[in-house]
mmCIF file of all heavy atoms in Angstrom:
data_model
loop_
_atom_site.group_PDB
_atom_site.id
_atom_site.type_symbol
_atom_site.label_atom_id
_atom_site.label_comp_id
_atom_site.label_asym_id
_atom_site.label_seq_id
_atom_site.Cartn_x
_atom_site.Cartn_y
_atom_site.Cartn_z
ATOM 1 N N ILE A 1 9.434 -0.524 -6.355
ATOM 2 C CA ILE A 1 7.999 -0.519 -6.659
ATOM 3 C C ILE A 1 7.311 0.287 -5.566
ATOM 4 O O ILE A 1 7.479 0.013 -4.371
ATOM 5 C CB ILE A 1 7.416 -1.947 -6.683
ATOM 6 C CG1 ILE A 1 8.137 -2.810 -7.713
ATOM 7 C CG2 ILE A 1 5.913 -1.913 -6.955
ATOM 8 C CD1 ILE A 1 7.997 -2.356 -9.141
ATOM 9 N N TRP A 2 6.527 1.274 -5.968
ATOM 10 C CA TRP A 2 5.812 2.129 -5.020
ATOM 11 C C TRP A 2 4.322 1.783 -5.103
ATOM 12 O O TRP A 2 3.686 1.968 -6.135
ATOM 13 C CB TRP A 2 6.054 3.595 -5.375
ATOM 14 C CG TRP A 2 5.394 4.611 -4.467
ATOM 15 C CD1 TRP A 2 4.995 4.431 -3.174
ATOM 16 C CD2 TRP A 2 5.087 5.971 -4.809
ATOM 17 N NE1 TRP A 2 4.444 5.595 -2.666
ATOM 18 C CE2 TRP A 2 4.501 6.558 -3.653
ATOM 19 C CE3 TRP A 2 5.249 6.759 -5.948
ATOM 20 C CZ2 TRP A 2 4.059 7.886 -3.627
ATOM 21 C CZ3 TRP A 2 4.833 8.087 -5.923
ATOM 22 C CH2 TRP A 2 4.237 8.634 -4.774
ATOM 23 N N ILE A 3 3.784 1.285 -3.994
ATOM 24 C CA ILE A 3 2.360 0.954 -3.915
ATOM 25 C C ILE A 3 1.652 2.077 -3.170
ATOM 26 O O ILE A 3 2.017 2.409 -2.030
ATOM 27 C CB ILE A 3 2.127 -0.386 -3.179
ATOM 28 C CG1 ILE A 3 2.842 -1.534 -3.916
ATOM 29 C CG2 ILE A 3 0.633 -0.687 -3.059
ATOM 30 C CD1 ILE A 3 2.697 -2.888 -3.244
ATOM 31 N N THR A 4 0.666 2.660 -3.812
ATOM 32 C CA THR A 4 -0.130 3.717 -3.177
ATOM 33 C C THR A 4 -1.589 3.269 -3.093
ATOM 34 O O THR A 4 -2.049 2.445 -3.884
ATOM 35 C CB THR A 4 -0.041 5.022 -3.985
ATOM 36 O OG1 THR A 4 -0.482 4.777 -5.334
ATOM 37 C CG2 THR A 4 1.391 5.551 -4.019
ATOM 38 N N TYR A 5 -2.319 3.847 -2.107
ATOM 39 C CA TYR A 5 -3.709 3.453 -1.907
ATOM 40 C C TYR A 5 -4.493 4.622 -1.314
ATOM 41 O O TYR A 5 -3.917 5.539 -0.688
ATOM 42 C CB TYR A 5 -3.801 2.232 -0.980
ATOM 43 C CG TYR A 5 -3.190 2.445 0.396
ATOM 44 C CD1 TYR A 5 -3.963 2.891 1.470
ATOM 45 C CD2 TYR A 5 -1.833 2.221 0.612
ATOM 46 C CE1 TYR A 5 -3.395 3.093 2.721
ATOM 47 C CE2 TYR A 5 -1.257 2.428 1.855
ATOM 48 C CZ TYR A 5 -2.053 2.865 2.908
ATOM 49 O OH TYR A 5 -1.492 3.085 4.150
ATOM 50 N N ARG A 6 -5.780 4.592 -1.508
ATOM 51 C CA ARG A 6 -6.631 5.628 -0.924
ATOM 52 C C ARG A 6 -6.583 5.543 0.597
ATOM 53 O O ARG A 6 -6.556 4.447 1.166
ATOM 54 C CB ARG A 6 -8.077 5.438 -1.371
ATOM 55 C CG ARG A 6 -8.358 5.832 -2.811
ATOM 56 C CD ARG A 6 -9.789 5.491 -3.156
ATOM 57 N NE ARG A 6 -10.136 5.874 -4.529
ATOM 58 C CZ ARG A 6 -11.259 5.511 -5.129
ATOM 59 N NH1 ARG A 6 -12.158 4.753 -4.475
ATOM 60 N NH2 ARG A 6 -11.502 5.892 -6.370
ATOM 61 N N PRO A 7 -6.595 6.699 1.286
ATOM 62 C CA PRO A 7 -6.548 6.683 2.752
ATOM 63 C C PRO A 7 -7.740 5.950 3.383
ATOM 64 O O PRO A 7 -7.625 5.467 4.518
ATOM 65 C CB PRO A 7 -6.562 8.169 3.126
ATOM 66 C CG PRO A 7 -5.961 8.848 1.939
ATOM 67 C CD PRO A 7 -6.451 8.069 0.754
ATOM 68 N N ASP A 8 -8.868 5.855 2.664
ATOM 69 C CA ASP A 8 -10.038 5.176 3.231
ATOM 70 C C ASP A 8 -10.113 3.694 2.834
ATOM 71 O O ASP A 8 -11.136 3.043 3.054
ATOM 72 C CB ASP A 8 -11.322 5.881 2.799
ATOM 73 C CG ASP A 8 -11.519 5.900 1.288
ATOM 74 O OD1 ASP A 8 -10.571 5.506 0.561
ATOM 75 O OD2 ASP A 8 -12.604 6.308 0.825
ATOM 76 N N LEU A 9 -9.036 3.154 2.280
ATOM 77 C CA LEU A 9 -9.033 1.736 1.928
ATOM 78 C C LEU A 9 -9.185 0.907 3.207
ATOM 79 O O LEU A 9 -8.513 1.173 4.208
ATOM 80 C CB LEU A 9 -7.717 1.370 1.224
ATOM 81 C CG LEU A 9 -7.647 -0.040 0.622
ATOM 82 C CD1 LEU A 9 -8.549 -0.154 -0.600
ATOM 83 C CD2 LEU A 9 -6.205 -0.388 0.254
ATOM 84 N N PRO A 10 -10.077 -0.106 3.212
ATOM 85 C CA PRO A 10 -10.256 -0.938 4.414
ATOM 86 C C PRO A 10 -8.934 -1.502 4.920
ATOM 87 O O PRO A 10 -8.035 -1.832 4.144
ATOM 88 C CB PRO A 10 -11.196 -2.045 3.939
ATOM 89 C CG PRO A 10 -11.972 -1.417 2.826
ATOM 90 C CD PRO A 10 -10.996 -0.510 2.128
ATOM 91 N N GLN A 11 -8.847 -1.611 6.230
ATOM 92 C CA GLN A 11 -7.595 -2.033 6.854
ATOM 93 C C GLN A 11 -7.154 -3.435 6.435
ATOM 94 O O GLN A 11 -5.950 -3.711 6.359
ATOM 95 C CB GLN A 11 -7.707 -1.952 8.382
ATOM 96 C CG GLN A 11 -7.612 -0.538 8.922
ATOM 97 C CD GLN A 11 -6.311 0.143 8.516
ATOM 98 O OE1 GLN A 11 -5.218 -0.386 8.715
ATOM 99 N NE2 GLN A 11 -6.412 1.339 7.927
ATOM 100 N N ASP A 12 -8.105 -4.319 6.181
ATOM 101 C CA ASP A 12 -7.700 -5.657 5.752
ATOM 102 C C ASP A 12 -7.043 -5.609 4.378
ATOM 103 O O ASP A 12 -6.124 -6.382 4.083
ATOM 104 C CB ASP A 12 -8.891 -6.618 5.745
ATOM 105 C CG ASP A 12 -9.984 -6.187 4.772
ATOM 106 O OD1 ASP A 12 -10.212 -4.976 4.627
ATOM 107 O OD2 ASP A 12 -10.601 -7.084 4.152
ATOM 108 N N GLN A 13 -7.487 -4.657 3.541
ATOM 109 C CA GLN A 13 -6.872 -4.472 2.232
ATOM 110 C C GLN A 13 -5.466 -3.889 2.372
ATOM 111 O O GLN A 13 -4.527 -4.320 1.689
ATOM 112 C CB GLN A 13 -7.735 -3.543 1.380
ATOM 113 C CG GLN A 13 -9.099 -4.110 1.008
ATOM 114 C CD GLN A 13 -9.006 -4.972 -0.242
ATOM 115 O OE1 GLN A 13 -8.647 -4.507 -1.316
ATOM 116 N NE2 GLN A 13 -9.311 -6.242 -0.082
ATOM 117 N N VAL A 14 -5.330 -2.922 3.271
ATOM 118 C CA VAL A 14 -4.012 -2.327 3.521
ATOM 119 C C VAL A 14 -3.049 -3.396 4.032
ATOM 120 O O VAL A 14 -1.876 -3.448 3.632
ATOM 121 C CB VAL A 14 -4.125 -1.167 4.534
ATOM 122 C CG1 VAL A 14 -2.735 -0.629 4.887
ATOM 123 C CG2 VAL A 14 -5.007 -0.044 3.982
ATOM 124 N N ALA A 15 -3.550 -4.267 4.909
ATOM 125 C CA ALA A 15 -2.704 -5.331 5.469
ATOM 126 C C ALA A 15 -2.229 -6.285 4.375
ATOM 127 O O ALA A 15 -1.077 -6.748 4.401
ATOM 128 C CB ALA A 15 -3.469 -6.092 6.545
ATOM 129 N N ARG A 16 -3.076 -6.588 3.419
ATOM 130 C CA ARG A 16 -2.684 -7.489 2.331
ATOM 131 C C ARG A 16 -1.595 -6.858 1.453
ATOM 132 O O ARG A 16 -0.695 -7.539 0.977
ATOM 133 C CB ARG A 16 -3.893 -7.868 1.478
ATOM 134 C CG ARG A 16 -4.911 -8.702 2.213
ATOM 135 C CD ARG A 16 -5.955 -9.289 1.277
ATOM 136 N NE ARG A 16 -5.373 -10.300 0.401
ATOM 137 C CZ ARG A 16 -6.087 -11.053 -0.429
ATOM 138 N NH1 ARG A 16 -7.405 -10.883 -0.514
ATOM 139 N NH2 ARG A 16 -5.497 -11.949 -1.192
ATOM 140 N N LEU A 17 -1.697 -5.551 1.268
ATOM 141 C CA LEU A 17 -0.646 -4.853 0.520
ATOM 142 C C LEU A 17 0.669 -4.851 1.299
ATOM 143 O O LEU A 17 1.745 -5.063 0.727
ATOM 144 C CB LEU A 17 -1.077 -3.416 0.221
ATOM 145 C CG LEU A 17 -2.282 -3.234 -0.705
ATOM 146 C CD1 LEU A 17 -2.653 -1.756 -0.794
ATOM 147 C CD2 LEU A 17 -1.997 -3.796 -2.098
ATOM 148 N N ALA A 18 0.557 -4.626 2.603
ATOM 149 C CA ALA A 18 1.754 -4.570 3.442
ATOM 150 C C ALA A 18 2.492 -5.910 3.450
ATOM 151 O O ALA A 18 3.728 -5.945 3.559
ATOM 152 C CB ALA A 18 1.381 -4.155 4.865
ATOM 153 N N GLU A 19 1.751 -7.010 3.336
ATOM 154 C CA GLU A 19 2.389 -8.327 3.305
ATOM 155 C C GLU A 19 3.328 -8.468 2.110
ATOM 156 O O GLU A 19 4.313 -9.199 2.171
ATOM 157 C CB GLU A 19 1.321 -9.418 3.243
ATOM 158 C CG GLU A 19 0.540 -9.592 4.539
ATOM 159 C CD GLU A 19 -0.588 -10.597 4.398
ATOM 160 O OE1 GLU A 19 -0.760 -11.145 3.283
ATOM 161 O OE2 GLU A 19 -1.295 -10.846 5.396
ATOM 162 N N ARG A 20 3.012 -7.790 1.040
ATOM 163 C CA ARG A 20 3.851 -7.864 -0.155
ATOM 164 C C ARG A 20 5.096 -6.981 -0.041
ATOM 165 O O ARG A 20 6.051 -7.170 -0.800
ATOM 166 C CB ARG A 20 3.049 -7.443 -1.390
ATOM 167 C CG ARG A 20 1.905 -8.398 -1.751
ATOM 168 C CD ARG A 20 1.152 -7.835 -2.933
ATOM 169 N NE ARG A 20 0.219 -8.767 -3.538
ATOM 170 C CZ ARG A 20 -1.062 -8.859 -3.222
ATOM 171 N NH1 ARG A 20 -1.565 -8.056 -2.279
ATOM 172 N NH2 ARG A 20 -1.837 -9.733 -3.823
ATOM 173 N N VAL A 21 5.058 -6.029 0.867
ATOM 174 C CA VAL A 21 6.135 -5.048 0.969
ATOM 175 C C VAL A 21 7.113 -5.374 2.088
ATOM 176 O O VAL A 21 8.339 -5.343 1.873
ATOM 177 C CB VAL A 21 5.540 -3.633 1.176
ATOM 178 C CG1 VAL A 21 6.639 -2.628 1.492
ATOM 179 C CG2 VAL A 21 4.744 -3.214 -0.057
ATOM 180 N N GLN A 22 6.593 -5.656 3.259
ATOM 181 C CA GLN A 22 7.457 -5.861 4.426
ATOM 182 C C GLN A 22 8.470 -6.979 4.184
ATOM 183 O O GLN A 22 8.116 -8.076 3.786
ATOM 184 C CB GLN A 22 6.613 -6.177 5.657
ATOM 185 C CG GLN A 22 5.791 -4.988 6.137
ATOM 186 C CD GLN A 22 4.825 -5.351 7.257
ATOM 187 O OE1 GLN A 22 4.261 -6.439 7.283
ATOM 188 N NE2 GLN A 22 4.610 -4.433 8.184
ATOM 189 N N GLY A 23 9.724 -6.661 4.417
ATOM 190 C CA GLY A 23 10.791 -7.641 4.239
ATOM 191 C C GLY A 23 11.267 -7.800 2.808
ATOM 192 O O GLY A 23 12.125 -8.652 2.541
ATOM 193 N N THR A 24 10.731 -7.022 1.885
ATOM 194 C CA THR A 24 11.123 -7.136 0.473
ATOM 195 C C THR A 24 11.834 -5.864 0.036
ATOM 196 O O THR A 24 11.225 -4.792 -0.018
ATOM 197 C CB THR A 24 9.893 -7.381 -0.423
ATOM 198 O OG1 THR A 24 9.212 -8.560 0.012
ATOM 199 C CG2 THR A 24 10.312 -7.559 -1.877
ATOM 200 N N ASP A 25 13.112 -5.986 -0.257
ATOM 201 C CA ASP A 25 13.868 -4.808 -0.690
ATOM 202 C C ASP A 25 13.357 -4.302 -2.034
ATOM 203 O O ASP A 25 12.769 -5.031 -2.833
ATOM 204 C CB ASP A 25 15.349 -5.177 -0.812
ATOM 205 C CG ASP A 25 16.227 -3.946 -0.960
ATOM 206 O OD1 ASP A 25 15.901 -2.904 -0.344
ATOM 207 O OD2 ASP A 25 17.252 -4.027 -1.688
ATOM 208 N N LYS A 26 13.549 -3.018 -2.271
ATOM 209 C CA LYS A 26 13.080 -2.320 -3.471
ATOM 210 C C LYS A 26 11.546 -2.304 -3.561
ATOM 211 O O LYS A 26 10.983 -2.372 -4.656
ATOM 212 C CB LYS A 26 13.660 -2.972 -4.742
ATOM 213 C CG LYS A 26 15.193 -2.944 -4.831
ATOM 214 C CD LYS A 26 15.709 -1.513 -4.973
ATOM 215 C CE LYS A 26 17.210 -1.448 -5.057
ATOM 216 N NZ LYS A 26 17.779 -1.851 -6.334
ATOM 217 N N THR A 27 10.888 -2.188 -2.409
ATOM 218 C CA THR A 27 9.438 -1.956 -2.367
ATOM 219 C C THR A 27 9.140 -0.989 -1.226
ATOM 220 O O THR A 27 9.853 -0.955 -0.220
ATOM 221 C CB THR A 27 8.629 -3.259 -2.127
ATOM 222 O OG1 THR A 27 8.972 -3.810 -0.856
ATOM 223 C CG2 THR A 27 8.877 -4.288 -3.231
ATOM 224 N N PHE A 28 8.079 -0.195 -1.371
ATOM 225 C CA PHE A 28 7.576 0.669 -0.294
ATOM 226 C C PHE A 28 6.139 1.040 -0.628
ATOM 227 O O PHE A 28 5.689 0.912 -1.783
ATOM 228 C CB PHE A 28 8.462 1.912 -0.099
ATOM 229 C CG PHE A 28 8.516 2.861 -1.265
ATOM 230 C CD1 PHE A 28 8.055 4.174 -1.131
ATOM 231 C CD2 PHE A 28 9.064 2.494 -2.494
ATOM 232 C CE1 PHE A 28 8.123 5.077 -2.197
ATOM 233 C CE2 PHE A 28 9.143 3.381 -3.551
ATOM 234 C CZ PHE A 28 8.670 4.682 -3.409
ATOM 235 N N MET A 29 5.386 1.491 0.382
ATOM 236 C CA MET A 29 3.988 1.836 0.167
ATOM 237 C C MET A 29 3.574 2.991 1.065
ATOM 238 O O MET A 29 4.171 3.221 2.126
ATOM 239 C CB MET A 29 3.082 0.620 0.430
ATOM 240 C CG MET A 29 3.121 0.083 1.854
ATOM 241 S SD MET A 29 2.030 -1.353 2.081
ATOM 242 C CE MET A 29 0.413 -0.558 2.163
ATOM 243 N N SER A 30 2.548 3.709 0.624
ATOM 244 C CA SER A 30 2.035 4.847 1.406
ATOM 245 C C SER A 30 0.638 5.203 0.903
ATOM 246 O O SER A 30 0.280 4.902 -0.242
ATOM 247 C CB SER A 30 2.976 6.056 1.247
ATOM 248 O OG SER A 30 2.945 6.505 -0.103
ATOM 249 N N PRO A 31 -0.178 5.840 1.753
ATOM 250 C CA PRO A 31 -1.481 6.338 1.284
ATOM 251 C C PRO A 31 -1.263 7.520 0.346
ATOM 252 O O PRO A 31 -0.234 8.213 0.423
ATOM 253 C CB PRO A 31 -2.176 6.753 2.583
ATOM 254 C CG PRO A 31 -1.076 7.020 3.559
ATOM 255 C CD PRO A 31 0.043 6.094 3.195
ATOM 256 N N PHE A 32 -2.265 7.741 -0.531
ATOM 257 C CA PHE A 32 -2.139 8.827 -1.524
ATOM 258 C C PHE A 32 -3.516 9.447 -1.744
ATOM 259 O O PHE A 32 -4.470 8.750 -2.102
ATOM 260 C CB PHE A 32 -1.586 8.275 -2.844
ATOM 261 C CG PHE A 32 -1.078 9.309 -3.789
ATOM 262 C CD1 PHE A 32 0.264 9.601 -3.858
ATOM 263 C CD2 PHE A 32 -1.954 10.013 -4.622
ATOM 264 C CE1 PHE A 32 0.740 10.565 -4.746
ATOM 265 C CE2 PHE A 32 -1.492 10.965 -5.506
ATOM 266 C CZ PHE A 32 -0.132 11.254 -5.568
ATOM 267 N N GLU A 33 -3.589 10.719 -1.528
ATOM 268 C CA GLU A 33 -4.858 11.446 -1.708
ATOM 269 C C GLU A 33 -5.206 11.608 -3.195
ATOM 270 O O GLU A 33 -4.327 11.856 -4.020
ATOM 271 C CB GLU A 33 -4.749 12.853 -1.072
ATOM 272 C CG GLU A 33 -4.561 12.836 0.446
ATOM 273 C CD GLU A 33 -5.860 12.563 1.193
ATOM 274 O OE1 GLU A 33 -6.926 12.482 0.547
ATOM 275 O OE2 GLU A 33 -5.796 12.426 2.431
ATOM 276 N N GLY A 34 -6.486 11.506 -3.505
ATOM 277 C CA GLY A 34 -6.980 11.830 -4.835
ATOM 278 C C GLY A 34 -6.847 10.733 -5.883
ATOM 279 O O GLY A 34 -6.943 11.018 -7.084
ATOM 280 N N LEU A 35 -6.639 9.488 -5.484
ATOM 281 C CA LEU A 35 -6.559 8.402 -6.471
ATOM 282 C C LEU A 35 -7.916 8.178 -7.126
ATOM 283 O O LEU A 35 -8.960 8.231 -6.471
ATOM 284 C CB LEU A 35 -6.096 7.100 -5.796
ATOM 285 C CG LEU A 35 -4.627 7.008 -5.353
ATOM 286 C CD1 LEU A 35 -4.370 5.644 -4.714
ATOM 287 C CD2 LEU A 35 -3.702 7.222 -6.538
#
């Protein structure tokens, strides 16, 4: 599962997404321009 987000997404929102990814195999996330 690839989670992408706008680079200007508030940091608390980014942190909530990261909680779902860190330590979970078959997941990754990155910022994405132009969403």
Side-chain angles (χ1 to χ4, degrees):
I1 302 297
W2 181 23
I3 300 179
T4 57
Y5 59 92
R6 286 175 179 170
D8 61 351
L9 188 71
Q11 284 302 308
D12 62 324
Q13 294 275 298
V14 175
R16 294 191 68 174
L17 295 175
E19 289 175 359
R20 294 177 168 93
V21 172
Q22 291 173 324
T24 303
D25 192 35
K26 299 294 180 75
T27 62
F28 64 118
M29 62 180 283
S30 66
F32 195 98
E33 295 282 355
L35 288 180

